Amino acid sequence: TYDKAIQFFGGGANSKIKGDSTLVFDAEKNATLRTLKFSPTNEGGWGSVLLAGGSNGGTIGGNAKIIINGGLINNDETGTTYVKAFAAGAIDKTSTTGSLTVDGDAIAAMHGNWGNVQGSTALLAGPMVSKNNSTAVVKGQCIVTIDGENAGAREVYPAGFLQASGSSIFVQSAQVDLVKGFVQDTIIGGAIWGASRLVVSGDIVVNVTDGTFSANSGRGRIFGGHDVEVNDGKGYVLGNTKITVSGGQGLNYVFGGGMVWRGNTAGTESIVKGNAYITFSGNSGINALSNDAKVFAGGRAQYPASADAKVEGNAYVEFKDITSTTFKGTLSGQGTDGDYKIDTYTNSVSG
């Protein structure tokens, strides 16, 4: 317990690591991680507790990994406020380098019981950047795997998180595999909360085999692209987005593209340069959707007349191997606005 943000970096600060960098969270019993005070701006802007497999700035010659086996639980007072667990490392405001490079992959493996946390949790494979005019690079894949009884997080960002101006994150590809566990609120490629850019040069892939969405008032959403939350934020997927759902429950919204929220100026954009593929496989795949679920081939823009959440290629939604059930929700070949309305964003898919 501490009165500021707590940060654990497996690779230290501004390091030059020749091999892998790994952090393992392995509590024998459910643990409580909390600070006495919570502010989203203290100690680099991330909130209460940071668990990072990589380093705070510097270089990692191999892979960066975070492995979570231990559980988290609230105590009877304030409990966990905000915990972010991420693989690649970070560039926060205390970093002296302003750069981070991972030559290998960034791998986040979640197996611990985090289902009893009432505060907010986030799971990432890619880097987190809060220092202005900085650059973070993952030359390999960014992979999040959730596989465990009651394992998961409220939010999942496989590609990374930006909360800075004039900064960039570049990763080769991003993937989420939800094998067993939960995602309370949202799976989305990466988060851009500053006037910066996040680029995935290959594909973003989301595979849901089993798991629960929308618990604890979560919205139960999957986006293929990125989340842009401010004017002049830019998120790009240069390849395709591929979402495959073959099991689970409580899924309310699925988008082939990304989201632009609050941003209302030209050049504020979340763009998928390639195609978007959404597949619901088998009866268990379609049953993962809630009865009033909405599936959009494109993206979501709060102000679609100005900011863009687009798929520039083609978009495909496929229901396959369905034998004994039907889709009861709403399907659109385009995108939507801030209210999830149909036919309000009719140029979200260009192909």
Side-chain angles (χ1 to χ4, degrees):
T1 308
Y2 190 59
D3 64 352
K4 294 182 179 181
I6 303 171
Q7 302 184 111
F8 299 90
F9 287 94
N14 306 308
S15 304
K16 293 182 179 180
I17 299 170
K18 293 181 179 180
D20 295 345
S21 178
T22 303
L23 185 146
V24 179
F25 179 81
D26 197 8
E28 293 184 6
K29 296 182 179 179
N30 285 340
T32 297
L33 294 176
R34 67 185 180 95
T35 59
L36 298 179
K37 298 178 182 179
F38 172 69
S39 169
T41 59
N42 64 15
E43 296 294 322
W46 301 125
S48 294
V49 182
L50 305 181
L51 305 174
S55 57
N56 184 10
T59 59
I60 299 171
N63 302 320
K65 304 176 184 178
I66 184 164
I67 301 170
I68 300 171
N69 300 317
L72 275 183
I73 192 169
N74 284 45
N75 64 13
D76 58 2
E77 295 179 0
T78 57
T80 303
T81 49
Y82 202 168
V83 179
K84 279 192 172 82
F86 49 104
I91 308 171
D92 77 357
K93 294 177 182 178
T94 68
S95 172
T96 59
T97 65
S99 67
L100 172 70
T101 300
V102 178
D103 288 337
D105 298 331
I107 301 168
M110 163 61 80
H111 307 294
N113 181 349
W114 283 23
N116 296 316
V117 178
Q118 298 302 312
S120 223
T121 55
L123 184 62
L124 303 88
M128 300 181 69
V129 177
S130 63
K131 186 180 181 70
N132 293 341
N133 303 311
S134 300
T135 301
V137 178
V138 177
K139 296 182 180 180
Q141 303 176 80
C142 294
I143 303 173
V144 174
T145 301
I146 300 172
D147 186 5
E149 197 68 39
N150 220 16
R154 183 169 181 82
E155 299 164 328
V156 178
Y157 308 108
F161 196 112
L162 273 162
Q163 194 176 23
S165 296
S167 295
S168 298
I169 291 176
F170 300 96
V171 306
Q172 174 60 37
S173 63
Q175 181 168 327
V176 177
D177 294 317
L178 176 54
V179 180
K180 180 194 294 186
F182 71 91
V183 175
Q184 291 171 348
D185 197 80
T186 304
I187 297 175
I188 195 163
I192 300 98
W193 289 13
S196 295
R197 61 175 174 166
L198 196 162
V199 180
V200 175
S201 58
D203 296 341
I204 292 182
V205 176
V206 178
N207 298 312
V208 179
T209 305
D210 195 4
T212 300
F213 289 83
S214 66
N216 294 332
S217 302
R219 287 167 288 187
R221 307 183 300 180
I222 298 176
F223 290 84
H226 301 305
D227 171 29
V228 177
E229 293 276 346
V230 295
N231 283 334
D232 297 320
K234 301 178 186 297
Y236 302 107
V237 182
L238 304 187
N240 303 316
T241 63
K242 302 174 182 179
I243 300 169
T244 302
V245 179
S246 57
Q249 61 181 326
L251 187 54
N252 295 323
Y253 303 96
V254 181
F255 293 84
M259 178 171 67
V260 175
W261 194 250
R262 298 187 182 92
N264 60 359
T265 60
T268 302
E269 54 192 13
S270 178
I271 305 294
V272 177
K273 294 289 187 178
N275 300 326
Y277 300 90
I278 302 172
T279 302
F280 299 95
S281 180
N283 297 333
S284 58
I286 196 170
N287 286 333
L289 294 163
S290 61
N291 286 338
D292 56 351
K294 295 183 178 181
V295 178
F296 297 92
R300 184 186 185 208
Q302 186 177 16
Y303 304 104
S306 49
D308 290 323
K310 290 187 174 182
V311 175
E312 293 188 347
N314 298 318
Y316 305 87
V317 179
E318 180 183 12
F319 297 87
K320 71 175 187 178
D321 300 329
I322 312 298
T323 61
S324 62
T325 188
T326 58
F327 175 55
K328 302 178 180 67
T330 302
L331 174 64
S332 170
Q334 288 289 335
T336 187
D337 61 6
D339 297 320
Y340 297 107
K341 294 179 180 178
I342 303 297
D343 298 329
T344 56
Y345 190 12
T346 56
N347 63 341
S348 179
V349 178
S350 303

